[in-house]
Amino acid sequence: MTNRTRTDTLLMTGFCAFLFFYGIGQFGLIGADEPRYAQVAREMLERHDWITPVLGGRAWLEKPPLYYWQAMLAYSAFGVSDIAARIPAAIDATLLVVAVYLFFRRFRRGVEIDAALITASCAGVIGFAHAASMEMALAAAFGIGMLAWWAWRESGERIYLALFYVCMALGMLAKGPVAPVLAAAIIVLFAFTVREFRFVWRTLWLPGMLLFCAIALPWYVAVQMRNPQFFREFILQHNLARFSSDLYHHRQPFWYYVPVAALALVPWTAFVAAALADAVRGWWAKRKSFSSEPDLEMQFGLFACCWLVVPIAFFSISQSKLPGYILPAIPAGAVLLADYLRRHIAREEGKAVSKGLAVLHAVAAAAPIVPALRVAYLITQRRLPGGRPMMVALAIAFALGAAIAMTLVSRSRLRMLRFVTLIPLVLSVAAVLKFGAVAMDQTLSARPLAIEIAGVVEHPLPLAVYGVSREMEYGLTFYRNQTTARYEWGSVPAEEHLLVAPATWKMNVAKQTSGRRVLLLGHYAPQDVDYYWVSAAGVTR
């Protein structure tokens, strides 16, 4: 191992450990999806069932099993916890970063560590590397698969094409048909733009397709045989209907994913946009020259552009939009930028970065430190504060931004881009974990409430909720490992049970529990909910 390889390994290890693994247990599972997916994996493990996802003892067929399998292995190794539930995403993100590094080391030497660290430091990658969800599993499998396809296209080695099919199969197990569909769209668009349609037909390699089927299809066949409703629920409802209608109430404007992608690429957004424009200009100039010789340098940038744009365009058409849908596009932005740096550092050593681009990048890189330093206030009050603390945060951001901009227009230029950008990024992540973890845990997770209830009620009782969010419902389900009944759905337990409801719903609770003894056990102020003991039916006040 050379000194450079050793240094690169240490840098990747340090950044992946800090950005993906550090602090993953400082706050509980957030939102509805994290605790729900974590609970599905727990119930599958308890039933020793690797085929049918189960939630509350019933088949839950919305998603394929790859994340559940990963979480089950993590639970087996480390025990069931929110940390173990998040470990798979952190590992997947690390594998993606390593794959980017190895790809650039083999095919685009000179910026391999830049490519790896740019990928690791994109806001979207950091965020979903901390989430117990399917998004990072899909993004990692898809990203590695697209790099493998280009490796085959450039080298002609079939081992890379086989890896492409393996990754598409894993993507199919991570999130469904979207992985092969997006890959096909990207490859066809790329072939069309460079006028090399033979690569579409050569990609349809029979051994690779058989490999894909051997990995992806057995679970689909097995789950369909056990659950005849699978095709209707998973394919028709949670894929086709979710895409073509607002069945699950996630409607957003058509342009929604443009700002989402811009935020997910922070702090590199400005330079990714510059790299995208540069690649398109290069392709257009080559196209107008009518040259018949393939230019791999130009084509790789164009391939990364197709990879970046297709998922954004595809999901923009969808009637149901969630931020995580376009995560597979984010590694493409990192790859595109890294290739842009490699070409410009080599060819334009004496050319300065434009002042406009330097300022835009400095703002994108330094601005996150402001909400990071005031994250606790932002979470609890839903706005940034004024006053002296805000002025201090703005002054720090201004100083960092000015230093970044001056560095980029100095003689150091692009060679210092990675260094000056990662400094404010590390500070921002550290500030979020230092100042925001407690606030996120108390206001966005059900974990502290579950702990508080466990300290008040000695014996486990059935659990019900009334008028609370799905996030609270699924969070309590995971942290108490209980099926949670909902009063408003008519699921009022006949036996003695616990009830969680908003503090403002006291009259509603009284009506629903009429004729039963009810005791207010406590109030959880950060989320303004009360929790009650409710007697069995027939036990009067």
Side-chain angles (χ1 to χ4, degrees):
M1 181 184 290
T2 64
N3 288 335
R4 179 174 180 178
T5 302
R6 187 179 296 109
T7 301
D8 290 351
T9 301
L10 289 174
L11 281 171
M12 281 195 298
T13 301
F15 272 91
C16 289
F18 176 69
L19 295 177
F20 303 155
F21 290 90
Y22 179 70
I24 61 174
Q26 289 189 13
F27 50 91
L29 299 178
I30 290 174
D33 287 343
E34 272 203 290
R36 180 169 52 189
Y37 297 153
Q39 182 65 16
V40 170
R42 168 195 266 158
E43 293 190 30
M44 291 177 71
L45 182 64
E46 290 174 348
R47 296 162 63 98
H48 305 288
D49 185 353
W50 294 74
I51 302 299
T52 303
V54 175
L55 181 63
R58 294 181 293 182
W60 195 80
L61 305 173
E62 291 190 13
K63 297 293 186 292
L66 184 58
Y67 167 76
Y68 303 139
W69 292 345
Q70 292 177 305
M72 291 164 73
L73 293 174
Y75 291 163
S76 299
F78 306 108
V80 178
S81 69
D82 42 25
I83 294 176
R86 286 173 171 153
I87 283 176
I91 292 175
D92 291 336
T94 301
L95 292 175
L96 174 63
V97 171
V98 172
V100 169
Y101 176 83
L102 294 176
F103 173 87
F104 271 83
R105 185 175 178 181
R106 169 72 171 81
F107 295 99
R108 297 289 184 275
R109 291 188 69 88
V111 292
E112 52 266 34
I113 190 61
D114 297 81
L117 296 185
I118 290 171
T119 304
S121 57
C122 288
V125 175
I126 296 173
F128 282 99
H130 286 77
S133 73
M134 289 79 182
E135 313 303 336
M136 188 51 69
L138 173 63
F142 190 81
I144 296 170
M146 298 315 296
L147 292 174
W149 186 87
W150 182 267
W152 163 75
R153 182 257 179 276
E154 185 165 325
S155 69
E157 298 176 24
R158 286 281 175 82
I159 185 66
Y160 292 119
L161 189 56
L163 177 59
F164 165 75
Y165 276 102
V166 169
C167 290
M168 291 305 107
L170 293 176
M172 182 90 167
L173 289 172
K175 206 88 187 281
V178 66
V181 168
L182 285 178
I186 291 167
I187 292 169
V188 169
L189 177 61
F190 170 72
F192 175 80
T193 54
V194 299
R195 302 173 183 176
E196 293 186 12
F197 290 101
R198 68 183 186 277
F199 283 108
V200 175
W201 307 115
R202 287 179 60 192
T203 300
L204 301 175
W205 181 45
L206 182 58
M209 291 188 286
L210 292 175
L211 186 60
F212 173 89
C213 292
I215 296 172
L217 293 188
W219 177 80
Y220 282 87
V221 172
V223 74
Q224 177 64 39
M225 291 178 66
R226 290 193 184 183
N227 306 273
Q229 74 274 28
F230 171 75
F231 180 81
R232 173 179 55 82
E233 290 190 17
F234 178 71
I235 299 296
L236 298 184
Q237 292 183 12
H238 291 285
N239 281 271
L240 296 180
R242 186 182 290 268
F243 185 86
S244 60
S245 69
D246 189 29
L247 180 64
Y248 297 97
H249 309 293
H250 299 310
R251 183 177 294 277
Q252 298 290 347
F254 177 80
W255 46 262
Y256 173 73
Y257 283 120
V258 174
V260 168
L263 290 173
L265 287 166
V266 167
W268 309 101
T269 309
F271 268 97
V272 171
L276 178 66
D278 184 74
V280 172
R281 280 196 303 267
W283 163 70
W284 188 251
K286 185 73 175 179
R287 185 174 181 271
K288 291 176 66 176
S289 70
F290 297 101
S291 173
S292 60
E293 291 296 322
D295 183 347
L296 290 180
E297 293 287 327
M298 178 275 295
Q299 288 191 4
F300 179 70
L302 187 60
F303 171 71
C305 289
C306 294
W307 176 7
L308 174 62
V309 169
V310 165
I312 296 174
F314 178 83
F315 287 112
S316 293
I317 299 171
S318 173
Q319 297 301 305
S320 180
K321 297 180 176 69
L322 289 173
Y325 287 177
I326 60 159
L327 189 63
I330 303 309
V335 167
L336 179 64
L337 174 54
D339 187 61
Y340 170 88
L341 294 177
R342 183 185 64 85
R343 289 183 287 105
H344 282 255
I345 289 174
R347 294 194 320 224
E348 302 178 7
E349 189 65 40
K351 186 176 179 180
V353 176
S354 71
K355 292 181 180 179
L357 179 58
V359 170
L360 285 175
H361 178 72
V363 171
I369 197 68
V370 176
L373 288 172
R374 307 300 298 151
V375 63
Y377 192 95
L378 184 62
I379 291 171
T380 55
Q381 304 297 320
R382 302 291 193 272
R383 63 183 179 86
L384 285 171
R388 184 175 179 181
M390 187 63 180
M391 296 303 296
V392 171
L394 288 171
I396 293 173
F398 179 80
L400 289 170
I404 293 170
M406 288 188 292
T407 301
L408 293 179
V409 297
S410 70
R411 296 181 61 182
S412 301
R413 300 184 182 97
L414 291 178
R415 290 190 179 277
M416 292 293 289
L417 178 65
R418 181 225 313 166
F419 177 74
V420 297
T421 305
L422 290 178
I423 289 175
L425 174 94
V426 169
L427 293 175
S428 297
V429 173
V432 168
L433 293 175
K434 174 68 174 177
F435 303 119
V438 173
M440 286 189 284
D441 193 41
Q442 291 181 342
T443 62
L444 302 178
S445 172
R447 182 172 70 177
L449 174 59
I451 294 172
E452 185 173 313
I453 292 174
V456 173
V457 182
E458 295 182 1
H459 305 290
L461 292 173
L463 180 67
V465 295
Y466 186 30
V468 302
S469 65
R470 291 195 314 154
E471 291 82 351
M472 175 69 73
E473 175 190 351
Y474 289 123
L476 290 172
T477 296
F478 174 77
Y479 284 109
R480 291 184 60 82
N481 192 23
Q482 291 178 283
T483 301
T484 305
R486 262 198 175 271
Y487 269 34
E488 55 263 55
W489 293 351
S491 300
V492 180
E495 67 269 32
E496 175 187 7
H497 63 276
L498 300 175
L499 173 65
V500 177
T504 55
W505 281 43
K506 286 183 171 63
M507 295 299 296
N508 304 69
V509 170
K511 291 178 182 179
Q512 289 289 332
T513 58
S514 178
R516 302 170 73 162
R517 291 182 59 200
V518 179
L519 177 64
L520 177 63
L521 298 178
H523 173 71
Y524 183 66
Q527 297 187 41
D528 196 27
V529 293
D530 293 328
Y531 49 98
Y532 304 82
W533 170 83
V534 181
S535 71
V539 179
T540 62
R541 297 176 187 272

